[in-house]
């Protein structure tokens, strides 16, 4: 039986550590669109990146993986040589059983847990409730647009079960109340993430990833363009758990390809 798209995406991530080159066969060498703006298009840039990673300081642990039609997603904990410890998401788009496009988002991993004792990567990982995929994706799309983008914060409670929220953001702890405090501060003080546009919703069962564009920064400082990857686990039509990765988008003149982050 052939491996699923998500299983092969996991193999590709692990190959950074194992140095196995066979996953390269999963890519379409004639057509490969790269959205990591630090890498050029094509497989050559990937191979050069792999070869540059020191074998003794490269570790990969894939925590969650799912697929949605032509897309596969991995949520991983990395040690990447001089880049250090990172947490990120990898997305592949497939055509004719080969990868033709790639997106990612990486954030430095904090040295300590958040105020609720949670890390950016621990928590539930099993994909369940496949029959609820479409409903769960629709709920996260609505949440992202209404609460995060248009900031209708008074509506946030309908997306949760009471105050219950398992939070893996390094910036704050568990509970809807903690999230609301962050959202209100963003509106009041213009601090933290500002969501401007939703680009993509991908999900399988109880796991849904929202990919958004915006800015981030501290009060009184120049805001920087950023990509927000928010992964949600849902239970009974409510958000139960949240992971994230926020990456600053570098200046356009530094990009190694013309495809853009999204």
């Amino acid at each position: 039986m052939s491996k699923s798209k998500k299983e092969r995406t996991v193999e590709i991530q692990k190959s950074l550590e194992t140095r196995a080159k066979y996953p390269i066969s999963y890519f379409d060498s004639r057509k490969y669109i790269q959205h990591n703006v630090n890498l050029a298009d094509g497989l050559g840039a990937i191979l050069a990146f792999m070869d540059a990673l020191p074998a003794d300081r490269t570790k990969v642990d894939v925590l969650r993986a799912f697929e949605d039609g032509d897309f596969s997603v991995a949520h991983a904990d990395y040690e990447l040589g001089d880049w250090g410890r990172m947490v990120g998401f990898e997305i592949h788009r497939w055509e004719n059983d080969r990868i033709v496009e790639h997106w990612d988002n990486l954030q430095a991993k904090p040295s300590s847990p958040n105020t609720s004792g949670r890390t950016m990567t621990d928590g539930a990982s099993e994909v369940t409730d496949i029959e609820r995929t479409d409903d769960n994706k629709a709920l996260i799309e609505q949440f992202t647009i209404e609460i995060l983008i248009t900031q209708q914060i008074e509506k946030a409670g309908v997306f949760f079960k009471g105050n219950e929220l398992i939070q893996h953001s390094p910036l704050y702890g568990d509970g809807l109340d903690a999230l609301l405090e962050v959202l209100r501060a963003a509106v009041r003080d213009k601090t933290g993430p500002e969501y401007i546009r939703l680009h993509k919703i991908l999900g399988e069962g109880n796991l849904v990833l929202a990919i958004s564009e915006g800015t981030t920064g501290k009060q009184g400082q120049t805001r920087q363009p950023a990509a927000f990857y928010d992964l949600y686990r849902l239970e009974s039509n409510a958000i139960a758990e949240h992971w994230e990765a926020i990456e600053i988008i570098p200046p356009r003149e530094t990009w190694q390809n013309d495809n853009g982050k999204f």
Side-chain angles (χ1 to χ4, degrees):
M1 183 176 179
S2 62
K3 295 176 181 177
S4 67
K5 296 181 181 71
K6 61 185 175 184
E7 288 173 328
R8 284 177 283 175
T9 286
V10 171
E11 285 189 1
I12 291 166
Q13 304 317 308
K14 287 297 292 182
S15 71
L16 296 177
E17 175 182 335
T18 64
R19 295 306 210 259
K21 295 296 176 68
Y22 70 88
I24 292 299
S25 65
Y26 299 155
F27 295 80
D28 188 335
S29 60
R30 301 160 300 175
K31 176 184 177 182
Y32 183 65
I33 303 167
Q34 176 64 261
H35 292 277
N36 181 322
V37 296
N38 298 306
L39 296 175
D41 281 336
L43 298 186
I46 297 174
L47 294 173
F49 173 74
M50 291 176 64
D51 290 340
L53 291 171
D56 60 337
R57 291 186 293 130
T58 301
K59 303 293 181 184
V60 180
D61 186 12
V62 177
L63 291 310
R64 290 159 197 90
F66 62 89
E67 60 187 79
D68 182 348
D70 294 330
F71 295 89
S72 52
V73 178
H75 182 208
D77 187 345
Y78 296 100
E79 180 181 351
L80 298 175
D82 293 340
W83 288 281
R85 296 296 300 272
M86 310 286 287
V87 175
F89 294 92
E90 307 284 341
I91 301 173
H92 293 134
R93 183 174 68 84
W94 301 71
E95 283 182 4
N96 301 319
D97 211 36
R98 292 289 184 271
I99 296 168
V100 296
E101 197 164 7
H102 168 258
W103 298 259
D104 63 9
N105 219 47
L106 297 169
Q107 179 176 340
K109 185 177 182 179
S111 58
S112 57
N114 67 16
T115 56
S116 294
R118 304 189 191 280
T119 72
M120 292 183 70
T121 55
D122 61 356
S125 59
E126 183 182 2
V127 176
T128 64
D129 303 330
I130 300 300
E131 72 284 356
R132 294 194 59 84
T133 295
D134 290 343
D135 289 341
N136 286 340
K137 288 172 64 177
L139 185 144
I140 294 305
E141 181 175 5
Q142 182 184 4
F143 173 78
T144 303
I145 293 171
E146 293 185 359
I147 308 306
L148 301 181
I149 295 177
T150 62
Q151 298 179 326
Q152 301 175 60
I153 299 172
E154 71 281 358
K155 296 182 179 180
V158 303
F159 297 95
F160 299 85
K161 183 180 178 181
N163 189 45
E164 296 179 13
L165 173 62
I166 300 172
Q167 181 60 255
H168 297 275
S169 169
L171 302 176
Y172 53 103
D174 287 355
L176 174 58
D177 289 345
L179 172 61
L180 293 178
E181 183 178 343
V182 170
L183 295 177
R184 289 175 181 135
V187 173
R188 182 183 64 245
D189 304 325
K190 305 300 181 185
T191 62
E194 175 192 26
Y195 287 70
I196 296 173
R197 180 182 176 188
L198 173 64
H199 282 270
K200 194 180 270 80
I201 294 281
L202 298 172
E204 183 180 14
N206 62 330
L207 295 180
V208 179
L209 177 67
I211 300 163
S212 305
E213 179 179 2
T215 67
T216 189
K218 297 180 179 179
Q219 188 175 14
Q221 296 183 357
T222 301
R223 299 188 65 81
Q224 296 177 288
F228 304 111
Y229 278 43
D230 291 284
L231 178 64
Y232 301 92
R233 181 178 63 82
L234 294 98
E235 286 183 1
S236 303
N237 203 38
I239 297 171
E241 195 163 5
H242 170 251
W243 302 261
E244 67 183 9
I246 301 172
E247 183 174 342
I248 302 299
I249 302 174
R252 176 66 181 83
E253 60 269 20
T254 70
W255 293 4
Q256 300 302 302
N257 63 64
D258 295 322
N259 305 313
K261 184 70 174 172
F262 302 99

